[in-house]
């Protein structure tokens, strides 16, 4: 049997790789990117520190919880600091990587100060899931099994990091959850308290989406952009407000598609498989059968 020409393939791949690096102006010692695998472990540690009794060591004793949380946080933040330094160095490849250690340390400290608030927000999400799903027997069941909560743990951590300018790390973290749950939340989106994603598979929330408090989404809901304008050179225009705003107490049922910088008013309901590209006033109920948004009559 003829041997496979591995050395020849290796050389071809090397040529292609060097050409790609040269096009990106990274041929000389290309900087390392943050590690998806390391960040996945980091988020697991952070989740365990936030919820030690449910997502931490199953054998933890009550009198050792604070010690466990401290040691787990120490591991998580040390790894996160290393990953932050990699991102900073990647974004400034002409600078020596060692010089970013103080900045990485400072950013890690700033992130850590947000952890109590993240825990409080996640508690509101858990409560919203419990109140919104008749199949849920307990908040504990939701925390350990619901894909929507797993996605929100990743998102709420990533959103803080995104706000600190760590866009690569933030995106990697939400993409880890995306691959595990089918829920795609951009870390730049703004999501209020008491947020519930039921079932979840296929949900997409774009970068500039704004979601208020007590909002509920079902599977396959898309909060996306309506179009993608280009500049004079034919390149896509980035970083402009192109995704929907959902005000407080909005519900979007399975398969709803809401596109563009439109506002869905408070207490509105978007029915299943509805396509929305215009503003919807508060207290509206939009369905396939009645696509014109009309306020729900006030109760007598």
């Amino acid at each position: 049997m003829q041997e496979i020409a591995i050395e020849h393939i290796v050389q071809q791949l090397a040529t292609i790789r060097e050409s790609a690096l040269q096009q990106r102006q990274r041929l000389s010692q290309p900087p390392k990117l943050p590690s998806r695998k390391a960040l996945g472990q980091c988020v697991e540690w952070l989740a365990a520190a936030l919820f030690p009794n449910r997502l931490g060591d199953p054998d933890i004793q009550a009198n050792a919880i604070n010690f466990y949380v401290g040691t787990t946080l120490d591991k998580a933040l040390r790894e996160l600091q290393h990953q932050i330094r990699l991102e900073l160095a990647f974004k400034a490849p002409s600078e020596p990587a060692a010089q970013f250690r103080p900045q990485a340390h400072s950013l890690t400290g700033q992130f850590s100060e947000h952890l109590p608030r993240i825990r409080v927000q996640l508690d509101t999400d858990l409560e919203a899931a419990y109140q919104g799903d008749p199949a849920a027997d307990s908040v504990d069941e939701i925390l350990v099994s619901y894909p929507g909560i797993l996605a929100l743990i990743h998102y709420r951590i990533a959103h803080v990091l995104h706000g600190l300018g760590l866009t690569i790390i933030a995106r990697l973290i939400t993409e880890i959850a995306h691959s595990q749950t089918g829920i795609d939340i951009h870390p730049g989106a703004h999501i209020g308290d008491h947020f519930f994603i039921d079932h979840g598979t296929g949900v997409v929330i774009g970068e500039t989406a704004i979601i208020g408090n007590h909002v509920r989404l079902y599977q396959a809901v898309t909060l996306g952009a309506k179009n993608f304008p280009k500049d004079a050179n034919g390149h896509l225009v980035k970083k402009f407000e192109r995704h929907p705003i959902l005000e407080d107490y909005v519900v979007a049922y399975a398969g709803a598609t809401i596109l563009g910088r439109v506002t869905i008013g408070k207490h509105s309901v978007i029915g299943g498989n509805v396509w929305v590209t215009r503003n919807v006033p508060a207290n509206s109920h939009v369905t396939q059968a009645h696509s014109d948004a009309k306020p729900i009559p006030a109760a007598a």
Side-chain angles (χ1 to χ4, degrees), residues 109-236:
Q110 291 176 56
F111 166 78
S112 68
E113 293 295 326
H114 288 268
L115 287 170
R117 181 175 62 84
I118 290 173
R119 166 65 202 247
V120 170
Q121 283 188 305
L122 288 169
D123 281 343
T124 73
D125 299 330
L126 288 163
E127 181 62 23
Y130 181 68
Q131 295 297 333
D133 185 1
D137 291 328
S138 69
V139 169
D140 295 312
E141 173 196 358
I142 294 166
L143 176 58
V144 300
S145 66
Y146 276 38
I149 291 300
L150 179 62
L152 283 173
I153 290 172
H154 284 70
Y155 158 76
R156 297 219 181 267
I157 290 170
H159 181 68
V160 172
L161 293 164
H162 190 274
L164 294 172
L166 299 165
T167 54
I168 298 174
I169 288 174
R171 192 58 183 267
L172 284 170
I173 288 173
T174 53
E175 286 302 323
I176 291 168
H178 183 194
S179 67
Q180 294 176 353
T181 66
I183 299 170
D184 182 3
I185 309 177
H186 194 286
H190 290 266
I191 300 177
D193 298 336
H194 296 87
F195 183 52
F196 177 34
I197 303 175
D198 200 358
H199 307 296
T201 306
V203 166
V204 177
I205 300 174
E207 177 185 20
T208 63
I210 299 175
I211 297 175
N213 299 320
H214 299 276
V215 169
R216 181 163 25 124
L217 306 182
Y218 286 82
Q219 67 270 23
V221 168
T222 296
L223 306 183
K226 186 177 180 181
N227 52 50
F228 301 95
K230 297 181 179 180
D231 61 21
N233 297 317
H235 300 138
L236 287 178

Side-chain angles (χ1 to χ4, degrees), residues 16-36:
I16 296 168
R17 183 175 64 251
E18 289 170 4
S19 175
L21 288 169
Q22 190 169 28
Q23 290 178 15
R24 298 198 300 269
Q25 298 180 343
R26 296 187 183 278
L27 185 58
S28 178
Q29 296 182 336
K32 299 294 185 182
L33 276 165
S35 164
R36 180 182 176 123

